Amino acid sequence: MKNDQAGISTLESILARLMLAGVTLSAISLAAGLALWLAGRHTTRLLDVGLIALLATPMLRVAVSFLEAIRMRDWFFVGATLTVVLLLCASLVLSFRAAGL
Amino acid sequence: MVVLAGAVAGCLGALLGIGGGVFLVPFLQFVVGVPLNVASGVSLMTVIATSSIVSAGSAGRRLVNLRLGMLLQVAASGGGLLGAIFVVKMPDRALFMMFSFVTAVIAILMLSRLDKRNVILDSSIDPGPFGGRFYEDESGREVVYRTRRIPTAMSVSAVAGFVSGSLGIGGGILQVPALNTWCGVPLRAAAATSAVMIGVTAVASAPLYYARGNVSAPMAAAAVLGVLAGSRAGFWFGERARAKWLKLLMAAVLAFVSITYLMKAL
């Protein structure tokens, strides 16, 4: 448990890059989508891309943490991240059902 | 106007590690005039944006306690999911009342502990499995802390998640003071850890709001872009502000939120 201090730091920087990429992608599509919207082109497609990218970013974060926990054989971390993954899946299933898909 | 409100909310949110939703929800509801569930849905998107940008920016500073965060995340996202499920069945008035009460209690707790410090200056001490160490500017050295009362931290996270999922604010507003006051986590570390967690907590409930059509896309885009700009400023200030002032500011924020929600409930 003590030896993974370095592993945790590496994981943190991987996750940081992932978060930055997700937010950047999202911000670009939201800005473009909002500009189109204000210009009178009332389509929400680009906006939806931005919002879904925003939602996907923390989800990916949890998924990457889970895979990394397995690689590090840190079973406490595996258990915690797996539970969160399952909770997020439950949320998605309920959402698809609420949207009638 | 929504961009500007998002910017202010984002700045305060990043500064305090609470997500800006606590200001954005009342603003959208009373000034812009959208229903509460739309205000919550839009706010949840900004909470995710704040959380993502703060976690990207705080890496390498060792303020974020990933291990503690992951454990508390289990309770927080469970609470968030339940909150989003039950929000459609709950009377607004009861929620506002409860929220007003909780924030008032925490504000008083914060004020009563202004000068307490949770760090151990001897950096050779073992922080334990859920503690941590980081370089503190104020004392100019590496400091160590231990996390106490893990079950309390778990319970608070579950409640915070529930509030986040049902009111659309970042649950950090409950988590940060509780971790700081009851569990011995230094304010900076508590704020940084919480900022990372609230994004995942919000993602446990936000898809439900999105699926129910409660996320107005143009409004969410405006608010998110505002928050992204504002949180940069907040993070910059956070690096330079003293812990005591952060606590005072947070207590003032909590008092304001408490009164706002009490007035909404009556």
Side-chain angles (χ1 to χ4, degrees):
Chain A
M1 221 142 98
K2 300 280 171 287
N3 66 343
D4 62 21
Q5 205 58 48
I8 291 264
S9 300
T10 320
L11 174 61
E12 207 183 326
S13 66
I14 294 170
L15 291 176
R17 253 171 278 161
L18 178 74
M19 305 313 276
L20 195 61
V23 172
T24 308
L25 175 69
S26 165
I28 291 170
S29 17
L30 287 180
L34 195 62
L36 276 181
W37 181 274
L38 294 175
R41 298 267 310 273
H42 285 208
T43 163
T44 60
R45 191 160 299 165
L46 257 177
L47 293 171
D48 284 327
V49 169
L51 293 176
I52 287 168
L54 198 60
L55 287 173
T57 307
M59 290 188 181
L60 270 176
R61 178 192 175 91
V62 176
V64 170
S65 303
F66 171 59
L67 295 176
E68 193 63 14
I70 293 178
R71 206 182 58 79
M72 291 181 350
R73 292 173 196 282
D74 183 334
W75 303 118
F76 160 79
F77 223 56
V78 170
T81 45
L82 177 63
T83 314
V84 177
V85 166
L86 292 175
L87 283 167
L88 294 184
C89 288
S91 171
L92 281 180
V93 168
L94 288 172
S95 304
F96 282 125
R97 206 179 288 170
L101 293 174
Chain B
M1 193 162 73
V2 175
V3 175
L4 196 66
V8 173
C11 180
L12 285 166
L15 192 52
L16 300 172
I18 60 177
V22 108
F23 308 100
L24 202 57
V25 172
F27 179 84
L28 289 178
Q29 198 181 352
F30 298 122
V31 183
V32 182
V34 298
L36 175 66
N37 46 14
V38 174
S40 305
V42 168
S43 169
L44 276 171
M45 300 308 287
T46 70
V47 168
I48 297 169
T50 311
S51 169
S52 298
I53 205 75
V54 173
S55 4
S58 65
R61 283 160 227 246
R62 293 208 279 168
L63 277 174
V64 178
N65 189 331
L66 275 187
R67 196 166 256 289
L68 177 66
M70 245 325 143
L71 178 66
L72 299 182
Q73 191 68 77
V74 172
S77 35
L81 182 56
L82 283 179
I85 292 171
F86 283 110
V87 68
V88 285
K89 295 170 181 146
M90 281 189 297
D92 287 352
R93 192 168 286 198
L95 264 178
F96 296 157
M97 212 58 149
M98 179 185 80
F99 192 74
S100 173
F101 175 74
V102 173
T103 45
V105 168
I106 295 175
I108 292 163
L109 270 175
M110 290 297 292
L111 286 176
S112 67
R113 289 184 43 111
L114 265 185
D115 289 317
K116 290 256 183 167
R117 287 166 57 82
N118 293 311
V119 293
I120 307 162
L121 288 173
D122 180 359
S123 61
S124 62
I125 286 175
D126 178 19
F130 296 109
R133 51 179 79 223
F134 63 93
Y135 183 83
E136 191 193 50
D137 288 333
E138 277 144 57
S139 50
R141 59 202 287 188
E142 185 169 75
V143 293
V144 175
Y145 62 94
R146 286 199 179 114
T147 305
R148 289 175 284 125
R149 306 196 187 96
I150 294 284
T152 307
M154 289 289 278
S155 319
V156 170
S157 298
V159 172
F162 189 82
V163 170
S164 166
S166 49
L167 287 180
I169 62 163
I173 196 164
L174 298 171
Q175 243 164 23
V176 175
L179 281 178
N180 182 232
T181 307
W182 293 329
C183 308
V185 181
L187 189 67
R188 291 277 168 73
T193 305
S194 169
V196 170
M197 287 174 59
I198 58 171
V200 180
T201 308
V203 156
S205 55
L208 274 161
Y209 282 84
Y210 193 79
R212 288 176 189 143
N214 286 334
V215 179
S216 154
M219 192 183 287
V224 165
L225 292 172
V227 162
L228 286 180
S231 64
R232 285 214 159 267
F235 208 70
W236 190 86
F237 285 131
E239 295 274 283
R240 286 154 185 82
R242 300 225 159 229
K244 188 173 177 179
W245 289 105
L246 268 179
K247 285 191 189 184
L248 265 179
L249 185 57
M250 181 173 257
V253 168
L254 287 167
F256 171 75
V257 169
S258 175
I259 293 164
T260 310
Y261 278 100
L262 185 65
M263 275 161 42
K264 264 211 265 192
L266 298 177

